[in-house]
Amino acid sequence: MEKPMANGPVDLVFDKFTPHHVPATLHHYCSTETFMAIVAGKSIRLSALSMSNDSEEGRLVLRLTEKLGQANRTAPAVIASLEAHWNEVMAANEGLGFCLSERGDLLSQWRGYAAQGRGVSLGKR
């Protein structure tokens, strides 16, 4: 029996994000100062995506919507509507995020987020 077409963002996202798709460990790269603040405060703070050094931060939802829509053969008009709505949300609101990587020892992450390699890569299972 063929799987029914996804009709909205919940179907598009949650059908694909099942436990077997989640990596065993996720890593957060940061400076030593940020690491100390995390340990001292026992919490992690979100950062404004507009302040990120990666211009694609916050754009994942758009790429994910398109990929999942195509994979599920969602009508192009539905995908376009979701993307238009997301662009409106992003334009009206400052996005906040906490960046994670599946890889705990990646040179680009050390350079970009961990004080040019003098910081920390925190892994959480």
Side-chain angles (χ1 to χ4, degrees):
M1 184 167 141
E2 189 172 315
K3 186 176 174 181
M5 264 193 184
N7 292 315
V10 172
D11 290 338
L12 286 172
V13 175
F14 287 104
D15 285 352
K16 293 294 177 181
F17 287 105
T18 57
H20 64 276
H21 286 94
V22 178
T25 303
L26 292 171
H27 302 271
H28 177 69
Y29 292 82
C30 60
S31 67
T32 304
E33 294 79 18
T34 299
F35 169 72
M36 295 304 291
I38 290 170
V39 172
K42 298 181 184 173
S43 64
I44 296 171
R45 296 185 180 202
L46 302 178
S47 300
L49 295 177
S50 63
M51 301 302 289
S52 173
N53 61 0
D54 183 350
S55 62
E56 285 297 302
E57 290 292 358
R59 313 293 300 162
L60 175 63
V61 172
L62 290 173
R63 291 191 311 274
L64 182 65
T65 298
E66 186 174 345
K67 277 186 163 183
L68 291 177
Q70 290 170 352
N72 287 302
R73 289 181 262 136
T74 302
V78 172
I79 296 171
S81 175
L82 290 169
E83 289 174 345
H85 177 70
W86 186 248
N87 280 324
E88 289 176 18
V89 168
M90 288 181 60
N93 300 283
E94 173 67 77
L96 299 175
F98 173 66
C99 299
L100 297 167
S101 173
E102 292 180 35
R103 296 178 58 191
D105 192 15
L106 192 59
L107 182 59
S108 62
Q109 299 298 303
W110 285 112
R111 287 180 177 161
Y113 298 99
Q116 295 293 324
R118 294 182 304 273
V120 177
S121 172
L122 300 170
K124 175 66 176 148
R125 289 182 183 218

